[in-house]
mmCIF file of all heavy atoms in Angstrom:
data_model
loop_
_atom_site.group_PDB
_atom_site.id
_atom_site.type_symbol
_atom_site.label_atom_id
_atom_site.label_comp_id
_atom_site.label_asym_id
_atom_site.label_seq_id
_atom_site.Cartn_x
_atom_site.Cartn_y
_atom_site.Cartn_z
ATOM 1 N N GLY A 755 204.269 2.549 143.592
ATOM 2 C CA GLY A 755 204.086 1.123 143.736
ATOM 3 C C GLY A 755 205.338 0.306 143.482
ATOM 4 O O GLY A 755 206.448 0.821 143.332
ATOM 5 N N VAL A 756 205.148 -1.004 143.415
ATOM 6 C CA VAL A 756 206.247 -1.964 143.324
ATOM 7 C C VAL A 756 206.854 -1.944 141.925
ATOM 8 O O VAL A 756 206.144 -2.064 140.925
ATOM 9 C CB VAL A 756 205.751 -3.382 143.658
ATOM 10 C CG1 VAL A 756 206.867 -4.407 143.477
ATOM 11 C CG2 VAL A 756 205.196 -3.431 145.084
ATOM 12 N N CYS A 757 208.184 -1.806 141.861
ATOM 13 C CA CYS A 757 208.883 -1.845 140.576
ATOM 14 C C CYS A 757 210.010 -2.872 140.563
ATOM 15 O O CYS A 757 210.706 -3.002 139.558
ATOM 16 C CB CYS A 757 209.432 -0.471 140.201
ATOM 17 S SG CYS A 757 210.694 0.160 141.324
ATOM 18 N N GLY A 758 210.205 -3.603 141.644
ATOM 19 C CA GLY A 758 211.268 -4.596 141.656
ATOM 20 C C GLY A 758 211.282 -5.391 142.945
ATOM 21 O O GLY A 758 210.570 -5.077 143.904
ATOM 22 N N ALA A 759 212.099 -6.429 142.950
ATOM 23 C CA ALA A 759 212.217 -7.282 144.131
ATOM 24 C C ALA A 759 213.651 -7.749 144.283
ATOM 25 O O ALA A 759 214.366 -7.959 143.295
ATOM 26 C CB ALA A 759 211.289 -8.483 144.021
ATOM 27 N N ILE A 760 214.084 -7.886 145.541
ATOM 28 C CA ILE A 760 215.390 -8.448 145.887
ATOM 29 C C ILE A 760 215.142 -9.857 146.407
ATOM 30 O O ILE A 760 214.412 -10.038 147.395
ATOM 31 C CB ILE A 760 216.096 -7.601 146.950
ATOM 32 C CG1 ILE A 760 216.291 -6.171 146.453
ATOM 33 C CG2 ILE A 760 217.431 -8.228 147.347
ATOM 34 C CD1 ILE A 760 216.707 -5.204 147.542
ATOM 35 N N ILE A 761 215.707 -10.839 145.732
ATOM 36 C CA ILE A 761 215.433 -12.237 146.063
ATOM 37 C C ILE A 761 216.747 -12.939 146.382
ATOM 38 O O ILE A 761 217.672 -12.954 145.566
ATOM 39 C CB ILE A 761 214.722 -12.940 144.898
ATOM 40 C CG1 ILE A 761 213.372 -12.253 144.636
ATOM 41 C CG2 ILE A 761 214.517 -14.424 145.201
ATOM 42 C CD1 ILE A 761 212.650 -12.761 143.417
ATOM 43 N N GLY A 762 216.825 -13.498 147.571
ATOM 44 C CA GLY A 762 218.009 -14.243 147.972
ATOM 45 C C GLY A 762 218.024 -15.627 147.354
ATOM 46 O O GLY A 762 216.976 -16.290 147.266
ATOM 47 N N CYS A 763 219.200 -16.062 146.927
ATOM 48 C CA CYS A 763 219.372 -17.371 146.296
ATOM 49 C C CYS A 763 220.594 -18.059 146.896
ATOM 50 O O CYS A 763 221.570 -17.400 147.242
ATOM 51 C CB CYS A 763 219.599 -17.233 144.790
ATOM 52 S SG CYS A 763 218.308 -16.366 143.886
ATOM 53 N N THR A 764 220.567 -19.384 146.969
ATOM 54 C CA THR A 764 221.770 -20.109 147.354
ATOM 55 C C THR A 764 222.703 -20.289 146.173
ATOM 56 O O THR A 764 223.911 -20.469 146.347
ATOM 57 C CB THR A 764 221.417 -21.480 147.944
ATOM 58 O OG1 THR A 764 220.621 -22.207 146.992
ATOM 59 C CG2 THR A 764 220.631 -21.336 149.241
ATOM 60 N N ASN A 765 222.152 -20.222 144.954
ATOM 61 C CA ASN A 765 222.954 -20.343 143.738
ATOM 62 C C ASN A 765 222.235 -19.591 142.618
ATOM 63 O O ASN A 765 221.211 -20.056 142.115
ATOM 64 C CB ASN A 765 223.153 -21.810 143.357
ATOM 65 C CG ASN A 765 224.108 -21.990 142.188
ATOM 66 O OD1 ASN A 765 223.982 -21.324 141.168
ATOM 67 N ND2 ASN A 765 225.073 -22.887 142.342
ATOM 68 N N ILE A 766 222.747 -18.428 142.258
ATOM 69 C CA ILE A 766 222.082 -17.591 141.261
ATOM 70 C C ILE A 766 221.959 -18.310 139.918
ATOM 71 O O ILE A 766 220.920 -18.211 139.250
ATOM 72 C CB ILE A 766 222.834 -16.256 141.096
ATOM 73 C CG1 ILE A 766 222.520 -15.339 142.299
ATOM 74 C CG2 ILE A 766 222.464 -15.559 139.797
ATOM 75 C CD1 ILE A 766 223.235 -14.003 142.277
ATOM 76 N N GLU A 767 222.984 -19.048 139.514
ATOM 77 C CA GLU A 767 222.944 -19.693 138.203
ATOM 78 C C GLU A 767 221.783 -20.673 138.108
ATOM 79 O O GLU A 767 221.159 -20.816 137.044
ATOM 80 C CB GLU A 767 224.277 -20.410 137.918
ATOM 81 C CG GLU A 767 225.506 -19.523 137.997
ATOM 82 C CD GLU A 767 225.408 -18.299 137.094
ATOM 83 O OE1 GLU A 767 224.802 -18.412 136.005
ATOM 84 O OE2 GLU A 767 225.944 -17.236 137.472
ATOM 85 N N ARG A 768 221.471 -21.348 139.206
ATOM 86 C CA ARG A 768 220.343 -22.287 139.175
ATOM 87 C C ARG A 768 219.012 -21.573 139.072
ATOM 88 O O ARG A 768 218.022 -22.154 138.615
ATOM 89 C CB ARG A 768 220.355 -23.164 140.444
ATOM 90 C CG ARG A 768 221.462 -24.195 140.485
ATOM 91 C CD ARG A 768 221.184 -25.272 141.516
ATOM 92 N NE ARG A 768 220.960 -24.724 142.850
ATOM 93 C CZ ARG A 768 219.902 -24.991 143.610
ATOM 94 N NH1 ARG A 768 218.948 -25.789 143.171
ATOM 95 N NH2 ARG A 768 219.796 -24.471 144.819
ATOM 96 N N ALA A 769 218.964 -20.309 139.500
ATOM 97 C CA ALA A 769 217.710 -19.563 139.480
ATOM 98 C C ALA A 769 217.443 -18.872 138.147
ATOM 99 O O ALA A 769 216.306 -18.503 137.848
ATOM 100 C CB ALA A 769 217.715 -18.520 140.602
ATOM 101 N N LEU A 770 218.478 -18.690 137.335
ATOM 102 C CA LEU A 770 218.324 -17.922 136.094
ATOM 103 C C LEU A 770 217.326 -18.518 135.102
ATOM 104 O O LEU A 770 216.645 -17.763 134.410
ATOM 105 C CB LEU A 770 219.693 -17.741 135.431
ATOM 106 C CG LEU A 770 220.623 -16.736 136.127
ATOM 107 C CD1 LEU A 770 221.949 -16.652 135.387
ATOM 108 C CD2 LEU A 770 219.975 -15.356 136.218
ATOM 109 N N PRO A 771 217.190 -19.856 134.967
ATOM 110 C CA PRO A 771 216.190 -20.363 134.027
ATOM 111 C C PRO A 771 214.770 -19.880 134.313
ATOM 112 O O PRO A 771 213.957 -19.785 133.395
ATOM 113 C CB PRO A 771 216.307 -21.884 134.183
ATOM 114 C CG PRO A 771 217.724 -22.105 134.588
ATOM 115 C CD PRO A 771 218.042 -20.945 135.491
ATOM 116 N N ILE A 772 214.490 -19.544 135.577
ATOM 117 C CA ILE A 772 213.168 -19.003 135.907
ATOM 118 C C ILE A 772 213.130 -17.498 135.691
ATOM 119 O O ILE A 772 212.296 -16.987 134.926
ATOM 120 C CB ILE A 772 212.785 -19.352 137.363
ATOM 121 C CG1 ILE A 772 212.454 -20.841 137.478
ATOM 122 C CG2 ILE A 772 211.591 -18.505 137.816
ATOM 123 C CD1 ILE A 772 212.013 -21.272 138.845
ATOM 124 N N TYR A 773 214.026 -16.772 136.335
ATOM 125 C CA TYR A 773 213.919 -15.311 136.322
ATOM 126 C C TYR A 773 214.330 -14.703 134.980
ATOM 127 O O TYR A 773 213.661 -13.804 134.464
ATOM 128 C CB TYR A 773 214.748 -14.725 137.466
ATOM 129 C CG TYR A 773 214.229 -15.123 138.820
ATOM 130 C CD1 TYR A 773 214.899 -16.060 139.613
ATOM 131 C CD2 TYR A 773 213.041 -14.589 139.305
ATOM 132 C CE1 TYR A 773 214.406 -16.436 140.851
ATOM 133 C CE2 TYR A 773 212.533 -14.967 140.545
ATOM 134 C CZ TYR A 773 213.222 -15.894 141.312
ATOM 135 O OH TYR A 773 212.723 -16.269 142.532
ATOM 136 N N SER A 774 215.403 -15.193 134.410
ATOM 137 C CA SER A 774 215.867 -14.675 133.132
ATOM 138 C C SER A 774 215.174 -15.356 131.963
ATOM 139 O O SER A 774 214.921 -14.730 130.936
ATOM 140 C CB SER A 774 217.383 -14.856 133.018
ATOM 141 O OG SER A 774 217.875 -14.276 131.841
ATOM 142 N N GLY A 775 214.866 -16.651 132.118
ATOM 143 C CA GLY A 775 214.248 -17.414 131.051
ATOM 144 C C GLY A 775 212.744 -17.289 131.016
ATOM 145 O O GLY A 775 212.177 -16.548 130.207
#
Side-chain angles (χ1 to χ4, degrees):
V756 176
C757 64
I760 301 168
I761 298 174
C763 303
T764 56
N765 186 312
I766 284 178
E767 304 305 326
R768 288 197 304 127
L770 287 180
I772 288 182
Y773 296 107
S774 184

